Structure formats: C-alpha cells, structure tokens
Amino acid sequence: MSDAERPRAVSEAPLTIEEPRLATRHRSRRRRLPRQVVVALPLALAGLVSLLVSGNALRPFDRVITIEARMASKSDYFKDPEVRRLLLEHNIRVDIRRLGSRGIATQSLTGMDVVFPSGQPAAKQILNRQPHSVRSVRPFVTPLVLGTFRDYADTLVRAGVATPQPVTGDGGTLYYDLDMRKFMTLLDGTVKGRATGDQDGDGRAERADTWNGIGFDRTAGRSNSGRVLVRTSSVCESNSAGTYLSILAFVANGDTTPGAGRADQARAAADAGRVARTIKPLLNLQGMWADEQADSYFSDLGESIAPISLIYEHQYLAHQLDYEKRYHRQDHGRVLLYPTPYALTEPQLISLSDDGDKLVQVIETDAELRRRAMELGFRVRSSGEDGTSEQLNTYLRGNGIQVPTPNRDRTKVYEPDLDVLEKIITYVGSCPPPDTDAP
C-alpha cells in the first residue's frame, strides 16, 4: 500500500493564532482630590458656615422687588451707586421716573409704589389725594441756596447785598449770607438812577440792575452788562422754584406768610393776588427754565450759562466732597449764597403700595442708608434739629471742606397754605390749573 493510499490517523485541525494582550496598570478604586481643591476646601466650608449663620445662604434665590417710583430732584439719592447696593441687600431695586414735585402732585399716580416730592407743599397735595392713610418718611432736609461764582458774590458784597461768612485758611470763604430784601431791589428791573450806577464817578450811566451797574467790571476786571437774575426751574413744576417763590412772597409781604391767620378765604385770596402781582416781575425775567439747575451750574460752562442758579445745599456739598476727592482741594471758584430769611426743604417719601411700605421701612431703619445720605451732603433729620446736623459738619471738616455758619438772623420762611400758594404759583407762572381729579 502506497503512502498516498494509507489512512491518516489524525485529522489536521486549522491553525489558530491568538492576538497579543496588552498589560495595563491596575486602577485604584479611590481617587485623589487635586491639591488646590484640598487647600481651598476649608475656606469654602468656613464661608458656607458664615452664610448659614448670617442668614444669607439663600440670598441669591430671594426675589428682588422692583419699586416703581416717581421722584423729583432728590432722585439723586436713589441713583447713587452705594445707595443702590445697600437697597439690593434688602432685595429692593428702585425704578425711577423723573418729574418735578408739583408735576408729581398734580398728575395721576396709577401704577406707582412710591413718590418722593422734594418739599412739603407737593407732599401735602399728594397725601390729601389718598383715600386712606399711607406710610411715609422724611429722612433728611436741605436748605434752598443760590449757587454762584466768586466774582459775582464779591460784587454783591461790594453792593452791600451779601456778607462773606468767616473762614480760616487760604482761598477765601465758600459761603455768603444774602439779604433778600436788598437783593430783591436788584431783581425788579427798575432803574435806580445814575448815583447808584456811577459809583466811581466815571460818568458811565449803566443801570443799577445790571452786573456792571453794581460794580462787576470793577470787582472782576471783566464785563457783564446782563441783568441781575436768578436762573430757576419752572415754578409750575419744581419744588425749588416754588420754595424760592415762597421766600420772595414772604419778604414782599413784610416778612409774613401771605394769607396766614386769615379765617376769611376771600381775604386770603386777596393777599395771594396782591403778593403774586408784586413778585411776578422778579421771576418772569428768568425765562422759566425747566431743566435741572445743578447740572448746568456744575458744568464747565456753568458761569457762561448763568451767574446765579437756584439749587439745594446738598448738591453743592456733594460737589465739594467729590472735588476734594479728585483734586485734593476745594472748588474755590463756586460759592454759595444763603438767603436771609431762609427756607428749609423737607423731601417726603410716600408709599402707595405694600412694596412701597417696604422701601419706606428700610429708609427709616437702615443706619447705613442714613450715613450715606450724610455723605451726599444731606442733613439727616435724626442728627440735629431743624437740619443743623453736627454729624454732617464733622464729616465735612474731616474731609477738608469748609463748614457753613448759620446766620444770626434765623428768620425762617413757611410756605403759605396750599390754596394760597397754588394761586400765587398759577398767577406768577401762568400755570395750567392742577388736575385735582387725577387718581
């Protein structure tokens, strides 16, 4: 039997080749934290404990209340970044609609949570319109003042109308007392005669009621033939202009509030009409400007815009504090005239809703918000009587700002009753009558 025919004892199986296996490192089931996480973990835990203790752990999840507000010039306070930050700590944000105080008092307040008129006449009108008692607060006060420039103030001193307040140090005083009775004789547009206009005997015949007529060119070495005027906001809308009008009316009425003590409404109205006719020329010459006076006064072109502007004391003090912070000196070019008699404005925050109540409560109770008001130049009511705040004076001294000195003549102007004041404002400003039916 040949080899080819011989049976095979074992069948040939197919050849199988296994793939090589790669050896891998044995993984540990326990993972290590990165070193930076280990270092930061104790700090994170300490922060969490602090938040839990203070009650702020869930603050990011708290609902922020948006307060719909209508405000006049004191909206500056609520626009301050620090005030906004402090209010957010109470979960409150204020959405401001700017309007003059009288405009707030005479227009519809539908949809508003709070209003913040700058003075008491407008506040009283608003409160009288409410169907029930509402919550309100008067957090601070500020005097009405006239902002001017040093050469013009010194010209008024030369004319015997103003008196510089005492000051220690260089640079001259920042503050002057203004005799309103004498000052009003410069506002009436009446020619006083050559004797007053020709004070140095040079034969010039300028009118006494021009700046050159009372010696501006001789005091400043510059010329201004314009009339002596005060630039104000619209008396039909603005608390500052209405308060200034009250000062003029008080002086024109023999240092007596028009209509005061008149039980007879007809006689009170007669007083209002007589005084309004007397003081109308003192304001009509100004053009009834309706913009914000402080913005113009503190601008680089302030002196070119108007020699004298009606502003609030807090606006001037806030400017000086900011100026000192930026330039490490006071702004000696801009100065204040304090009228005698004087008027103190009392802004009033009035709530019109439950959310408004929360804002009023915070303004009443938060010490940091009161302190911030002082840092913005306001005289916080809780720190002194009639706005004479020793806390503010101390703060000004500590920041290198001269402190104003109260005039010895402390005659204070009180606004007329609402009906009398409304008649004077309407006549002097030719204002449309208020919409007393507005909700």
Side-chain angles (χ1 to χ4, degrees):
M1 179 181 296
S2 65
D3 292 341
E5 295 174 347
R6 187 175 298 159
R8 295 179 180 178
V10 179
S11 62
E12 294 181 357
L15 183 62
T16 302
I17 301 175
E18 294 185 0
E19 294 184 2
R21 296 182 179 180
L22 298 176
T24 59
R25 174 183 284 181
H26 177 68
R27 293 185 180 181
S28 173
R29 294 182 179 177
R30 183 177 181 182
R31 296 183 179 181
R32 294 182 178 179
L33 292 174
R35 180 176 299 176
Q36 58 268 33
V37 175
V38 175
V39 172
L41 188 58
L43 296 176
L45 290 174
L48 178 60
V49 171
S50 177
L51 287 172
L52 290 172
V53 172
S54 64
N56 294 322
L58 299 178
R59 183 172 292 273
F61 303 99
D62 289 344
R63 182 176 71 91
V64 175
I65 300 171
T66 298
I67 303 292
E68 298 296 334
R70 189 168 285 168
M71 301 185 179
S73 60
K74 301 308 176 290
S75 62
D76 294 345
Y77 174 72
F78 284 96
K79 289 180 179 179
D80 175 67
E82 179 64 10
V83 171
R84 286 181 175 272
R85 185 190 69 79
L86 292 170
L87 288 175
L88 278 176
E89 291 188 357
H90 296 276
N91 301 311
I92 291 175
R93 186 178 71 87
V94 181
D95 184 17
I96 299 171
R97 302 181 192 181
R98 183 70 178 267
L99 188 64
S101 292
R102 189 170 181 270
I104 296 174
T106 58
Q107 295 186 18
S108 171
L109 301 178
T110 301
M112 293 295 105
D113 294 305
V114 296
V115 291
F116 198 21
S118 296
Q120 285 304 289
K124 290 177 182 177
Q125 284 183 277
I126 294 168
L127 292 171
N128 288 346
R129 288 168 50 189
Q130 303 311 306
H132 52 77
S133 62
V134 297
R135 188 166 185 174
S136 67
V137 62
R138 288 179 282 174
F140 38 66
V141 297
T142 186
L144 191 75
V145 293
L146 304 179
T148 187
F149 302 86
R150 186 169 301 280
D151 288 339
Y152 289 96
D154 289 341
T155 299
L156 293 173
V157 172
R158 177 171 182 159
V161 175
T163 305
Q165 292 186 9
V167 63
T168 57
D170 300 327
T173 184
L174 295 180
Y175 312 113
Y176 297 74
D177 294 320
L178 182 69
D179 187 319
M180 283 302 296
R181 181 168 296 281
K182 294 178 180 179
F183 183 61
M184 285 167 60
T185 65
L186 305 180
L187 302 176
D188 58 12
T190 303
V191 178
K192 302 303 185 297
R194 189 181 298 266
T196 304
D198 186 20
Q199 292 181 9
D200 60 359
D202 63 0
R204 292 181 299 177
E206 286 105 340
R207 297 172 62 181
D209 286 350
T210 67
W211 283 109
N212 284 345
I214 63 172
F216 175 78
D217 52 352
R218 295 181 288 278
T219 300
R222 299 177 285 148
S223 178
N224 186 342
S225 297
R227 287 187 176 184
V228 180
L229 297 173
V230 177
R231 191 172 190 262
T232 75
S233 301
S234 170
V235 72
C236 296
E237 298 180 4
S238 166
N239 175 77
S240 61
T243 304
Y244 180 62
L245 181 148
S246 295
I247 295 177
L248 299 179
F250 183 87
V251 175
N253 199 45
D255 289 348
T256 305
T257 301
R262 296 287 197 189
D264 186 343
Q265 293 299 313
R267 297 188 65 180
D271 281 353
R274 173 180 52 79
V275 171
R277 289 189 293 273
T278 300
I279 65 175
K280 184 181 176 76
L282 311 185
L283 287 96
N284 269 1
L285 296 176
Q286 302 160 75
M288 293 305 182
W289 296 92
D291 62 347
E292 176 55 54
Q293 300 306 303
D295 292 342
S296 299
Y297 172 63
F298 294 120
S299 71
D300 293 338
L301 297 176
E303 188 170 355
S304 301
I305 294 172
I308 303 179
S309 297
L310 186 69
I311 62 173
Y312 293 107
E313 181 197 55
H314 79 90
Q315 295 170 320
Y316 180 84
L317 297 181
H319 166 76
Q320 288 291 359
L321 288 164
D322 180 67
Y323 197 91
E324 171 68 29
K325 183 181 298 183
R326 287 187 292 146
Y327 302 109
H328 308 292
R329 56 187 173 87
Q330 298 176 115
D331 181 358
H332 287 283
R334 291 177 174 83
V335 297
L336 280 192
L337 303 171
Y338 281 88
T340 301
Y342 75 100
L344 201 64
T345 61
E346 300 178 79
Q348 188 161 353
L349 184 66
I350 302 172
S351 170
L352 304 174
S353 71
D354 291 341
D355 286 346
D357 288 348
K358 295 175 184 177
L359 178 61
V360 169
Q361 181 180 10
V362 167
I363 295 298
E364 278 183 315
T365 59
D366 192 296
E368 290 186 75
L369 284 168
R370 289 199 301 272
R371 176 170 178 79
R372 184 56 184 165
M374 180 193 66
E375 293 172 350
L376 294 173
F378 290 100
R379 299 184 178 273
V380 181
R381 287 177 61 91
S382 61
S383 60
E385 185 178 358
D386 283 339
T388 305
S389 170
E390 192 54 41
Q391 290 184 24
L392 175 61
N393 294 342
T394 301
Y395 183 76
L396 293 173
R397 293 188 193 98
N399 285 273
I401 307 300
Q402 180 190 344
V403 175
T405 303
N407 194 328
R408 291 184 179 181
D409 184 351
R410 301 304 294 158
T411 304
K412 182 179 179 181
V413 172
Y414 293 93
E415 294 93 349
D417 290 340
L418 287 178
D419 290 343
V420 173
L421 180 60
E422 199 58 43
K423 285 182 173 62
I424 296 175
I425 288 176
T426 301
Y427 180 85
V428 171
S430 301
C431 309
D435 182 6
T436 55
D437 295 329

